[in-house]
Amino acid sequence: MLRPLQPDDPREVGPYRLRNRLGRGGMGQVYLGVSPGGRLVAVKVVRPELADDANFRRRFAREVTAARAVAGFYTAPVVDADPDADPPWLVTAYISGPTLHEAVQQQGPLPPSAIGALGAGLAEGLGAIHAGGVVHRDLKPGNVILAEDGPRMIDFGIARAMDETHTVDILGTPPFMSPEQATGAQVGAPGDVFSLGALLVFAATGQSPFGAGQPQAILYRVVHEEPDLSGLSELPDGLTELIAACLAKDPEARPEVPALLDSLAALKGDTQWLPPGIISMITENRTATIAATKVDPRADQPPAPPPTPPPAKLSWLPALAWTLGACALGVLIVLAAIDSSSGSGGSTPTTTAESDTSTSDYYDTETSSSEDETTTEETTTEETTTTDEETLDDESTDQTPFTLDAFMPDDFTDDSGRHHQYEAGSTRPCTEWASEEVASVLTDNGCSEMLVANFVDDDSEILTTVWVYPFADYDTADTAYNALDAQDFMQLGCWDPNSGPGSGVCDNDVTAADEWQYIGQDHRYVIVAQSKWIDLRSDGSGDEQLKSAASEARSAVGPDNYYGN
């Protein structure tokens, strides 16, 4: 997902010019960048608190060196890095496409015919990674990018630098961790095989084989309970048994990667491996990338430039040089996430909504001007998408893509100072999960498809869900807004992330929980934000904090995010 750079984001890292934010992971921000030779790349910039840790820098340098030795078609290769920079950074090839997590959340589970092809590609990628002496350690749906010609793995090996730095915590993603990783034991190639098995279950069913809920509960099931494979009955003969073997508790009982690859390759079939809905997501992402960078991700790439050490002083490339230099792309990922808007509306206490989402650790950021190396100053004007506000009032003139990328921000900070991070989002039918009263208003005014997304605060205490409903024009949206706002509260259903902070909330009875809801109109869109405590408290003690979160979320989400306003 492409998002505008923020004012405090760097504009250059080493020799790479940054164009957009791609996402944020545990290690730091990730940006879409362009190399001096015109290649699109993903640039990961390490968080300041990690950059200040000398042990982390040493381990990061070691893992980067190992990762750069990995070569394989189904990996996004590490092409450059500077562990000694302040802060350290890492560059990988850019792959234009959704993560597996985003694809499943928006389009549903992959068809049975695609699971063998996905597994074969990832097994081949693991073979290349392991041949380079690297263990992935964090293979999950958010670290797999789907491209038309096969999946790609990202972030392989680098998690170890963080794992060894943070000795108190076990780092990873609980639903996709192996038992040995969950218990803090040594993790090798068999651990990646276990993660691959769990990932294939998710791809086929939309669920982890070890369920949802709090991380410690999931980790207990990973270590002590058998996986739930009940949703795999439609897979080709032999594939369910192969996945079950990958999920053996004993690392020695799991298949080795070469044998696993042979078995999966025999089951992958000969048809187009991705369904039309995901192909459309890839096309949309390519279109957004071209609009943001003037580089076509599918174009042939110029020869890769040799890694360049950072200059003593960085200068901004003028806009003309950028335009001329943009000629093609490399490959990496785009996450999941989206941007924001403004607006106001009435507030009413309300009940909540129903489940499913999550994200990835891939990309992020942007802005500014600077001097060249002579005494002359050159101000670089950033290329942004602009629009006449009135064009947003009618579907026939509104050019805003109806995507999570265009409407949702990476994060927001409410009036109380709480920081809330985007967790997951999806495109769903407008009336899904809604009460009859709400559904009637939406249907009568022609709403067919909505955006829904979750945000969680840094303390994992507040879950905020936002719904975006599009209508044909401003007047229709106004009619729907007034009808919805007149309701005592809007029953919109409960929707939560399927992993990570906030996951499992909707598995409980949420009807009595304290909640706060804001509704507002933004041009031809009606936007509703609703906040609740993740522990579902109902004593009214935190209403002001819920109000602050919902109010700010309502203002942060909308089409202005696409136009950088």
Side-chain angles (χ1 to χ4, degrees), residues 33 147 258 270 273 276 329 351 535:
D270 300 321
W273 83 288
L329 130 86
T351 64
D535 64 8

Side-chain angles (χ1 to χ4, degrees), residues 59-72 75-81 90-92 128-129 132-135 155-159:
R59 291 163 181 147
F60 179 70
R62 181 191 66 202
E63 298 305 323
V64 164
T65 299
R68 293 183 73 171
V70 173
T75 63
V78 175
V79 298
D80 201 357
L90 170 76
V91 176
T92 64
I129 290 170
V134 175
V135 177
D155 280 2
F156 43 86
I158 306 303

Side-chain angles (χ1 to χ4, degrees), residues 73 120 137 172 300 327 390 422 458 467 497-498:
F73 182 77
R137 300 173 67 89
D300 291 336
C327 41
E390 292 184 1
Y422 174 86
D458 288 348
W467 294 262
N498 69 351

